[in-house]
């Protein structure tokens, strides 16, 4: 069954197809581990082990396919994810849609002073409305020029070739594509594009895409959230700081040891994960 959700005024995400599921990941892993999987026999343990140790090729056995309608500037960010296969609407063959992205006032923010690639805050409502009005007026002018060039206004001749007429369209104009990617690279895409550092518009797409896939692979997405999405890694220098702190405060190490043996609080970690944590802090 196709799942569909509208994004902004004109866009949408449709989950067209998904090949495989948690079982296909576990089955593929068992081929490589063979007899060895007896000790980690259930799928959840096995998949969590794979994701935790970045043994990711079994995740590639699952593929997700979307139909997306999105502004060209979001499409440009999407195509940077090179492992996906895609097929896009042709502006050479077909007439481009009149739909253009105009941000809601809530999205209209000033340039951040601390992050060249981000938005700041504190823009008055009147400036928000003025900026929105300018965006709207200029996309309307571009659409009028496009209509004129393709011949909608000048019936005397057949109009300019579509492949050149489209050059006047803004990057807010909508395009459509089919986009297919394996689960390992989909997780990589989600981690990058659901993050606060990504542009808010692509975040909106990535979050909806992720939520559509989640119920189809509940064990793999749970492992992704635990070991990738909500985790972080430390540099060698940061590890030195943490180890220095642990050595300076022996109580901290004892506290970890107590937690490991605690019946009440264990943070949802398996016995094996407690052993791995101990190995990390003893390095
Ligand atoms: C917040 C943010 C800001 C960004 N800003 C910019 C910017 O200013 N300018 C800009 O140009 N891009 C920018 N990007 C795009 C970014 O540099 C990556 O191109 C994009 O995120 C795709 O990441 P990727 O290459 O890891 O993913 P994918 O292309 O999906 O590849 C997945 C993984 O496959 C492997 N892989 C794929 N192709 C190759 C290859 N040819 N060689 C080796 N390994 C490969 C890599 O391990 C890679 O991580 C930005 C991205 C984000 C999230």
């Amino acid at each position: 069954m196709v799942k569909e959700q509208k994004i902004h005024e004109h866009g949408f995400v449709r989950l067209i197809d998904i090949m495989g599921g948690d079982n296909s990941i576990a089955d593929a892993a068992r081929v490589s581990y063979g007899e060895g999987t007896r000790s980690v026999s259930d799928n959840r343990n096995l998949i969590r082990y794979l994701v935790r140790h970045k043994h990711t090729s079994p995740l590639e056995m699952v593929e997700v396919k979307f139909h997306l309608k999105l502004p060209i500037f979001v499409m440009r960010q999407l195509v940077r994810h090179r492992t996906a296969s895609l097929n896009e609407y042709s502006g050479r063959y077909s007439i481009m849609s009149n739909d253009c992205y105009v941000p809601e006032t809530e999205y209209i923010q000033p340039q951040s002073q601390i992050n060249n690639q981000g938005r700041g805050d504190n823009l008055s409502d009147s400036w928000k409305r003025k900026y929105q009005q300018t965006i709207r007026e200029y996309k309307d002018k571009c659409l009028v020029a496009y209509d004129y060039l393709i011949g909608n206004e000048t019936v005397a001749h057949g109009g300019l070739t579509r492949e050149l007429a489209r050059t006047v369209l803004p990057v807010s104009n909508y395009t459509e594509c089919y986009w297919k990617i394996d689960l390992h690279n989909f997780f990589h895409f989600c981690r990058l594009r659901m993050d606060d550092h990504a542009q808010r518009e692509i975040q909106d797409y990535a979050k909806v895409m992720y939520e559509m896939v989640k119920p189809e692979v509940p064990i793999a997405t749970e492992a992704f959230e635990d070991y990738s999405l909500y985790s972080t890694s430390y540099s060698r220098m940061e590890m030195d700081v943490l180890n220095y702190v642990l050595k300076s405060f022996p109580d901290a190490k004892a506290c970890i040891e107590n937690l490991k043996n605690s019946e009440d609080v264990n943070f949802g970690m398996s016995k094996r994960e407690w052993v791995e944590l101990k190995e990390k802090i003893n390095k």
Side-chain angles (χ1 to χ4, degrees), residues 13 15 18 59-60 62-66 78 81 83-84 179-194 205-214 217 221 224:
V13 168
L15 178 62
I18 179 153
L59 299 182
E60 293 170 31
V62 176
E63 296 212 317
V64 293
K65 183 161 68 187
F66 293 96
L78 185 77
H81 296 273
T83 60
W179 190 79
K180 179 176 75 82
I181 194 164
D182 67 64
L183 193 66
H184 165 58
N185 284 291
F186 180 64
F187 284 164
H188 180 66
F189 161 81
C190 291
R191 194 183 154 120
L192 290 173
R193 300 301 183 175
M194 297 199 303
Y205 278 87
K207 286 173 184 169
V208 166
M209 290 160 81
Y210 180 70
E211 288 305 322
M212 283 182 178
V213 168
K214 199 169 163 168
V217 270
T221 45
F224 164 64

Side-chain angles (χ1 to χ4, degrees), residues 92-149:
R92 296 182 69 198
Y93 188 83
S94 309
I95 293 175
M96 294 298 285
S97 107
N98 273 341
D99 295 335
C100 287
Y101 175 70
V102 177
E104 295 294 330
T105 44
E106 168 212 348
Y107 278 53
I108 298 180
Q109 290 164 276
Q111 172 57 42
S112 163
Q113 297 304 308
I114 45 170
N115 174 6
N116 282 346
Q117 266 192 340
R119 300 175 196 193
D121 39 26
N122 297 330
L123 195 62
S124 68
D125 284 350
S126 71
W127 273 109
K128 285 181 179 203
R129 280 193 298 273
K130 277 184 210 158
Y131 285 146
Q132 191 186 50
Q133 187 54 26
T134 306
I135 291 171
R136 204 184 297 283
E137 273 170 24
Y138 279 87
K139 68 95 180 161
D140 284 343
K141 284 182 182 157
C142 293
L143 290 174
V144 168
Y146 179 70
D147 266 4
Y148 167 78
L149 291 171

